Amino acid sequence: MNKNLPVDQFNAFIQCGQPYIAGETNKPLSNFSFGIKDIFDVAGFPTAFGSPDWLNTHPVATQTAPAVLDLVQQGATLVGKTHTDELTYSILGINAHYGTPTNPNYPNRIPGGSSSGSAVSVAGKLVDFAIGSDTGGSVRTPASFCGIYGMRPTHGRISLKNARPLAKSFDTLGWFARDPEILFEVGKTLLKEEHKSNTQAIEVIAPKQAWEIVPDGLRRLALKRVQEIFIRNNVVNKDDSLYYWLFDTKVDKIKLTEYKNVSSLDSTKVIE
């Protein structure tokens, strides 16, 4: 029994083999606690995968998932594992064997799944953030249902080693937080590198037909903002040639523009 487990009035945490790993001190995440969806291995503890049959037919884990180790090494303290839909096969958050976690913000509604316990543990203020997985919406759905932030990064961006799969070509590690600053800090640890502002994009495609169905005022405002973003974010090196869509908000057509130097509009050449 994990004596450090928060008082769980929402049934967010599993009760079989609760791990506790104290985070390292004087690290970026040292003041934060977190839970992990019960698909991630922690050495010395079982992974139930939301299923009593799975629990009874699989050995105790001998390795800890790298993503969990990364968070602990950056100071976050693991306080337990959270409920999931059985074998993660649902987005409702319902588990017939272990009970459905209670949505803290909307108790009469389902929490969403399959990362139900992780979302509920965050929404219920039991932990600062939590780790889940997203195959077809299993982070995004419970985040929206519980009224918190949820992040699903690019597929394959974060290791899912020592985690139970649902569909490997879609499974993606994601995380939850109530505070966007915490969401950001956790992301820096899991993603392991800063966003590169000097992105070498090839083109951005915006089908003309899609914009034609948008009301004129809204279209002009949206295209103006897109234009400002491209110009503000110097997306090419000084000597690079980059093609992308530039939207002329003064006329109702889209021009493909070549920028020799994105910082100078005088150097543009319109390709008809």
Side-chain angles (χ1 to χ4, degrees):
M1 183 68 179
N2 177 3
K3 296 180 180 179
N4 296 286
L5 193 67
V7 176
D8 184 10
Q9 67 268 42
F10 304 112
N11 188 36
F13 290 92
I14 67 170
Q15 298 302 315
C16 54
Q18 278 290 357
Y20 177 86
I21 308 177
E24 296 188 14
T25 58
N26 299 319
K27 296 289 185 176
L29 303 180
S30 289
N31 294 324
F32 302 140
S33 61
F34 73 105
I36 57 172
K37 186 177 184 177
D38 187 28
I39 67 168
F40 295 97
D41 287 342
V42 175
F45 295 89
T47 300
F49 203 8
S51 168
D53 286 340
W54 184 279
L55 175 65
N56 294 329
T57 55
H58 289 77
V60 170
T62 58
Q63 294 181 314
T64 299
V68 176
L69 292 176
D70 287 342
L71 293 166
V72 171
Q73 289 167 1
Q74 288 300 306
T77 294
L78 174 65
V79 299
K81 288 190 173 188
T82 59
H83 282 302
T84 174
D85 296 60
E86 187 172 13
L87 307 180
T88 72
Y89 199 72
S90 177
I91 61 169
L92 298 179
I94 297 171
N95 190 303
H97 306 290
Y98 300 120
T100 300
T102 301
N103 187 326
N105 291 321
Y106 311 97
N108 295 324
R109 300 179 183 272
I110 57 174
S114 63
S115 305
S116 53
S118 291
V120 166
S121 68
V122 171
K125 301 180 181 180
L126 306 180
V127 291
D128 296 300
F129 69 92
I131 301 304
S133 64
D134 189 310
T135 303
S138 290
V139 166
R140 293 162 289 173
T141 299
S144 65
F145 284 14
C146 292
I148 58 174
Y149 296 101
M151 177 65 186
R152 180 199 191 276
T154 301
H155 175 259
R157 186 65 177 77
I158 303 171
S159 172
L160 277 173
K161 183 179 179 182
N162 300 114
R164 305 290 77 73
L166 174 59
K168 290 183 178 180
S169 58
F170 293 95
D171 294 343
T172 305
L173 186 148
W175 65 100
F176 303 90
R178 295 182 305 279
D179 185 326
E181 293 298 328
I182 295 177
L183 192 81
F184 178 71
E185 289 299 326
V186 173
K188 288 199 294 186
T189 292
L190 292 173
L191 298 172
K192 295 185 178 180
E193 62 182 33
E194 296 292 338
H195 172 70
K196 296 179 180 180
S197 60
N198 192 23
T199 304
Q200 294 298 311
I202 299 223
E203 64 179 358
V204 175
I205 299 173
K208 183 178 180 181
Q209 295 86 344
W211 290 105
E212 288 176 345
I213 64 175
V214 179
D216 288 345
L218 181 59
R219 180 175 68 250
R220 292 175 185 279
L221 178 62
L223 296 184
K224 181 180 179 182
R225 289 291 297 122
V226 171
Q227 191 178 30
E228 290 171 353
I229 290 169
F230 278 124
I231 295 172
R232 182 174 67 249
N233 297 312
N234 189 9
V235 295
V236 292
N237 291 326
K238 199 169 186 179
D239 299 325
D240 285 344
S241 176
L242 175 68
Y243 290 83
Y244 62 78
W245 290 110
L246 176 70
F247 306 98
D248 188 339
T249 58
K250 296 180 181 179
V251 295
D252 289 329
K253 73 174 183 177
I254 299 174
K255 298 177 180 179
L256 182 62
T257 303
E258 178 185 9
Y259 272 88
K260 293 297 185 183
N261 182 350
V262 76
S263 64
S264 173
L265 291 178
D266 294 335
S267 61
T268 62
K269 175 183 176 184
V270 177
I271 302 176
E272 300 294 346

